[in-house]
Amino acid sequence: MTLLAERPGVVQEPGGPDHGHGPTGILRWLTSTDHKVIGKSYLITSIVFFLFAGVMAVLMRTQLASPDSTIVSQHTYNELFTMHGSLMLYLFAGPFAFGGLANYMVPLQVGAPDMAFPRLNALSYWLYLGGGLTMIGGFLTVGGAADFGWVAYAPLSNAVNSPGAGPDMWIVSLILTGFSAIFTGVNICATVFYLRAPGMTMFRVPIFTWNMVVTGILILIAFPVLTAAMVMLWCDRHLGTHIYTVSGGGVPVLWQNLFWFFGHPEVYILALPYFGMVTEILPVFSRKPVFGYRGMVFATITIGALSTSVWAHHMFTTGVVLLPFFSLMSYMIAVPTGIKFFNWIGTMWRGSLKFDTPMLFAVGFLVVFLFGGVTGVFLASPPIDFATHDTYFVVAHFHEVLFGSAVFAGFAGLSYWYPKMFGRMLRESLGKASFWFMFVGFWVTFLPQYLLGLHGMPRRIAEYSASTGWTTLNRVSTAGAYILFLAVAIMVVNFYVSWRRPIHASGNPWDGHTLEWATTSPPPPHNFFRLPPVRSERPLWDFNHPEHTTRAHEAEHEGGTPSRRGTRATGGGADGAR
Amino acid sequence: MRNESRLLLVVSLFGAVIGVLFWAVGLSPVYATITSGGTIMLGAVCLLGLLPGYYYHWWSRRMSPRSEDDPEATPESGAGVVGVFPGTSIWPFVLGMSALLVCLSLVFGFWTAIFGFSLAIAAVVGVILESRRGGAI
Ligand code: HEM
Ligand SMILES: [Cu+2]
């Protein structure tokens, strides 16, 4: 059935012609093209994958807690870290942010009734679900799941070294989820370009949405390369081509080039959405506009652009890359990231801070990510990289960055928007407990791993002998992993409690700034009964606090009086949109 | 529309500049390495931005001004029908499962593709009929 979406001029009846007459039960879920339903499905599915991968992580840490441990074999350990990494990166971190929160929030933030292509959106979700289950299904095959690491380096991933159906299912899964991501990328860009509310020029779009647009473009750049690389890998495995094998005239390094041309943008595909969440949360809980809005947008675009040209910093040790080129580019990426940090601090500076759960997680992200970023700058220097490549130093570094963004910022975003999506509040006490356990557990897990790396413990080993002296640090790290597990469990309890004993959430529980808070929680079909006028990047704040509008605030800080600046701003010069 | 097109054109320009730079550095005999892969991919980035970016640019000069590009537009100025949206539809699910089956044939052999392609045909017919009935899409 087709609905005409009206944009509410003043007031409008909820829903369209088939409101209340649609299918019910499971059929409702299978047939829905509503971005809110699809977004929630994405969210829940990705959290389930996250829990699954978390259990694998705890199993690995348990194995490593004592020397010469035999809980799992090296072969199983290989499967575990491969599937842990793949699930976390391909099926949790990306889809959680881009398929889940972005899907739900981007149309709301720009004041659109739905995504631009609702049926394509539904197709994305089904491809993602099918692909994800396929990947996990690898565990059920005779030879076990894929075991060549989440990067699947040639020649490790060829038919001789990794035979069987499990690796093939991994390949198929990445082809499917790759298409799913591409479709969502197209959808989000089209939604933001074509369905914005009146008055919402590109430079009034919330930063979260801006970051999603840039992420979408990065996805369009990176994922087709991954899919192509996967198809060629499959051809090598089954059709006897020799694209990645030396014996037939191929080049194994080609795989690394293709993979990292995807892989480094992927790192930012995983990071930018989470930067966006933090940029939404900090202003709201500081009760100030975001500091340096335009600087934020340009930093995002610069990060996105530079991330397409640093791929070979993952390949320094192969010796066949343009070393100075990539090293320089990698340093340059630290500049826009630094600008972002500066602006985040500037946003909080002299604001009236409120440390609710979302804010706590957001600040936790700042701390963790800063530390991870600094060690990342170390690694961009080839001499250090040569010394620490494939040791636990690298493991600690990328967990700092990935865990910082996907889990700290992810939980910040989740607890921030949970009231909007489910119409009920989370418990503050449980949320805060979860945060503190996570923060402590995090350092206990990963600081020892830096030291282990410096002591030379290689990554991806299932056993080490007691004579190496690594036992104590490994014990501490494993204890930290258990604390982290507890923190996540508290979060799950929090969801459960809010589900069984709901506390009703109003439309705007945090005194938010952006349009998603201008509608009910959860929003009606086609999202809005009425839209406030959009005059800055915080339309709802301006509407609710006419005495402190964003423009007046900016004028104050630039020294002019609000009224004088106000008249100039009516000309819209600051926004110069068309 | 202009900022949207600029964004994509910037992507394209960046791909071109870095692509040329990368290719030029690779010419130096000091670095015995293959740069053709990277150059091609950066060239593709350039095209990826150019195509939609130029399309938007072309349109932005022909279309009537949009209220979302007008910094002074009021909610009333955008009132009315935004577009035609499908309500509920089973076909995305069917299409997704058909794609899954087709891809699984890469693992389990040709037979799953037979089911996959049959479902795909059903889904395509279904979507087209649905759109006819519903109108514009
Ligand atoms: C719950 C806390 C976590 C713990 C205790 C944990 C633990 C581990 C362990 C023990 C390994 C194997 C290291 C090795 O032997 O080389 C690993 C690898 C990895 N983890 Fe985690 N992890 C956690 C969370 C995450 C998160 C949130 C992400 C990403 C979003 C992530 C991404 C990865 C990746 C990409 C690898 C590398 C896999 C490979 O080597 O192919 N992990 N993790
Ligand atoms: Cu990288």
Side-chain angles (χ1 to χ4, degrees):
Chain A
M1 219 167 295
T2 311
L3 307 179
L4 287 184
E6 303 253 347
R7 181 169 279 144
V10 212
V11 185
Q12 190 213 348
E13 287 297 304
D18 75 347
H19 181 61
H21 303 288
T24 51
I26 186 155
L27 208 58
R28 208 171 95 98
W29 179 58
L30 291 182
T31 59
S32 180
T33 57
D34 181 352
H35 74 104
K36 298 185 285 297
V37 177
I38 298 169
K40 270 200 261 186
S41 307
Y42 256 115
L43 215 59
I44 294 168
T45 316
S46 63
I47 290 179
V48 171
F49 286 138
F50 168 69
L51 296 177
F52 207 71
V55 170
M56 291 183 214
V58 168
L59 196 59
M60 283 189 286
R61 278 313 324 168
T62 310
Q63 158 82 8
L64 292 173
S66 37
D68 305 313
S69 158
T70 50
I71 298 169
V72 297
S73 65
Q74 177 73 46
H75 180 71
T76 314
Y77 188 86
N78 291 350
E79 288 175 38
L80 283 176
F81 74 67
T82 303
M83 295 306 270
H84 162 79
S86 307
L87 255 70
M88 283 289 188
L89 295 181
Y90 300 119
L91 302 184
F92 163 63
F96 173 81
F98 201 69
L101 287 178
N103 214 330
Y104 203 106
M105 290 304 157
V106 164
L108 288 170
Q109 286 200 325
V110 300
D114 202 320
M115 287 281 239
F117 310 113
R119 286 186 291 201
L120 188 66
N121 198 14
L123 176 62
S124 295
Y125 175 71
W126 298 117
L127 291 179
Y128 164 65
L129 185 65
L133 293 178
T134 309
M135 188 184 284
I136 292 192
F139 276 121
L140 304 177
T141 60
V142 187
D147 60 354
F148 35 54
W150 78 281
V151 295
Y153 272 3
L156 200 61
S157 51
N158 68 16
V160 181
N161 293 322
S162 307
D168 283 327
M169 289 174 82
W170 186 89
I171 293 171
V172 163
S173 154
L174 288 196
I175 294 175
L176 287 166
T177 51
F179 273 107
S180 142
I182 291 170
F183 293 158
T184 311
V186 170
N187 226 333
I188 291 210
C189 288
T191 307
V192 177
F193 290 168
Y194 283 102
L195 288 178
R196 298 195 306 276
M200 180 162 294
T201 62
M202 268 320 259
F203 283 104
R204 285 177 183 169
V205 165
I207 299 277
F208 176 75
T209 297
W210 252 115
N211 282 19
M212 291 304 170
V213 171
V214 175
T215 308
I217 296 176
L218 275 182
I219 286 182
L220 295 183
I221 291 173
F223 271 82
V225 176
L226 177 74
T227 307
M230 288 297 158
V231 172
M232 289 193 275
L233 179 61
W234 185 84
C235 292
D236 263 15
R237 290 169 61 89
H238 294 281
L239 302 184
T241 58
H242 290 282
I243 299 168
Y244 306 122
T245 43
V246 183
S247 57
V251 225
V253 177
L254 177 64
W255 171 266
Q256 295 200 24
N257 265 307
L258 292 177
F259 184 85
W260 286 115
F261 190 83
F262 151 80
H264 194 87
E266 166 77 353
V267 173
Y268 285 93
I269 290 166
L270 301 182
L272 287 178
Y274 294 99
F275 290 178
M277 292 172 204
V278 171
T279 320
E280 288 302 294
I281 292 166
L282 293 180
V284 169
F285 291 91
S286 312
R287 301 177 68 80
K288 278 174 63 189
V290 61
F291 179 81
Y293 172 88
R294 279 182 179 238
M296 261 342 206
V297 172
F298 288 120
T300 304
I301 297 174
T302 318
I303 293 179
L306 284 177
S307 74
T308 60
S309 51
V310 296
W311 71 92
H313 64 200
H314 299 272
M315 302 158 51
F316 283 159
T317 48
T318 61
V320 289
V321 293
L322 298 177
L323 222 139
F325 179 87
F326 286 109
S327 187
L328 187 74
M329 286 302 212
S330 308
Y331 282 126
M332 271 165 62
I333 249 186
V335 176
T337 317
I339 293 178
K340 278 188 173 269
F341 252 93
F342 180 72
N343 286 358
W344 284 327
I345 310 271
T347 305
M348 290 196 292
W349 191 256
R350 305 202 9 221
S352 37
L353 304 183
K354 278 193 303 173
F355 284 97
D356 292 309
T357 312
M359 183 67 167
L360 272 184
F361 274 106
V363 173
F365 158 82
L366 291 185
V367 176
V368 168
F369 196 86
L370 182 63
F371 202 85
V374 170
T375 53
V377 175
F378 288 170
L379 290 176
S381 139
I384 300 186
D385 188 44
F386 284 122
T388 55
H389 191 76
D390 278 341
T391 69
Y392 260 82
F393 193 87
V394 174
V395 175
H397 155 69
F398 69 67
H399 277 95
E400 197 117 0
V401 182
L402 288 169
F403 199 99
S405 40
V407 185
F408 277 101
F411 277 15
L414 188 61
S415 42
Y416 177 60
W417 280 306
Y418 187 90
K420 177 57 54 187
M421 293 186 288
F422 296 91
R424 42 187 74 177
M425 304 297 289
L426 289 171
R427 300 296 193 276
E428 275 297 312
S429 50
L430 284 172
K432 287 189 171 135
S434 163
F435 169 77
W436 285 112
F437 275 104
M438 188 172 286
F439 196 70
V440 172
F442 181 81
W443 293 106
V444 177
T445 313
F446 294 108
L447 274 184
Q449 295 190 2
Y450 279 116
L451 298 177
L452 281 171
L454 295 177
H455 290 172
M457 177 165 169
R459 66 190 281 203
R460 297 179 175 168
I461 54 164
E463 276 172 46
Y464 54 93
S465 79
S467 60
T468 53
W470 297 334
T471 314
T472 319
L473 284 171
N474 269 313
R475 284 257 158 90
V476 176
S477 179
T478 302
Y482 291 147
I483 303 178
L484 283 177
F485 192 76
L486 191 67
V488 175
I490 295 175
M491 202 71 192
V492 173
V493 169
N494 205 352
F495 299 144
Y496 180 77
V497 171
S498 89
W499 175 56
R500 292 308 297 262
R501 302 217 180 137
I503 300 178
H504 176 75
S506 71
N508 187 9
W510 310 117
D511 196 4
H513 296 174
T514 39
L515 285 184
E516 75 266 32
W517 304 106
T519 178
T520 53
S521 298
H526 290 164
N527 296 346
F528 290 96
F529 297 115
R530 52 175 307 165
L531 286 167
V534 183
R535 285 293 167 273
S536 74
E537 79 271 9
R538 338 188 264 176
L540 191 64
W541 170 276
D542 295 345
F543 187 72
N544 290 339
H545 304 268
E547 70 293 355
H548 299 118
T549 62
T550 307
R551 280 179 178 180
H553 182 99
E554 278 163 7
E556 227 172 86
H557 281 255
E558 283 165 27
T561 62
S563 57
R564 223 188 311 142
R565 193 38 219 270
T567 41
R568 210 184 88 208
T570 2
D575 295 283
R578 270 157 302 158
Chain B
M1 219 56 222
R2 221 171 263 171
N3 282 328
E4 288 88 331
S5 105
R6 273 187 209 142
L7 174 66
L8 291 161
L9 290 177
V10 162
V11 172
S12 163
L13 189 71
F14 184 86
V17 170
I18 296 291
V20 170
L21 201 72
F22 178 77
W23 172 75
V25 176
L27 287 184
S28 141
V30 182
Y31 311 110
T33 127
I34 328 145
T35 50
S36 47
T39 310
I40 291 174
M41 289 187 286
L42 288 169
V45 171
C46 172
L47 294 180
L48 183 127
L50 192 62
L51 195 70
Y54 186 74
Y55 173 76
Y56 284 169
H57 176 76
W58 188 87
W59 255 114
S60 70
R61 303 199 304 174
R62 282 165 182 76
M63 71 202 299
S64 42
R66 306 185 303 168
S67 64
E68 51 262 55
D69 291 333
D70 174 6
E72 297 305 319
T74 55
E76 287 73 24
S77 68
V81 177
V82 180
V84 190
F85 287 83
T88 56
S89 170
I90 190 67
W91 302 116
F93 174 71
V94 179
L95 202 57
M97 292 307 114
S98 76
L100 176 64
L101 286 174
V102 170
C103 283
L104 281 181
S105 74
L106 296 179
V107 183
F108 299 114
F110 192 67
W111 58 276
T112 61
I114 299 174
F115 294 103
F117 280 119
S118 338
L119 273 185
I121 292 169
V124 168
V125 172
V127 169
I128 292 174
L129 289 182
E130 188 179 74
S131 303
R132 283 253 179 100
R133 250 182 286 127
I137 302 191

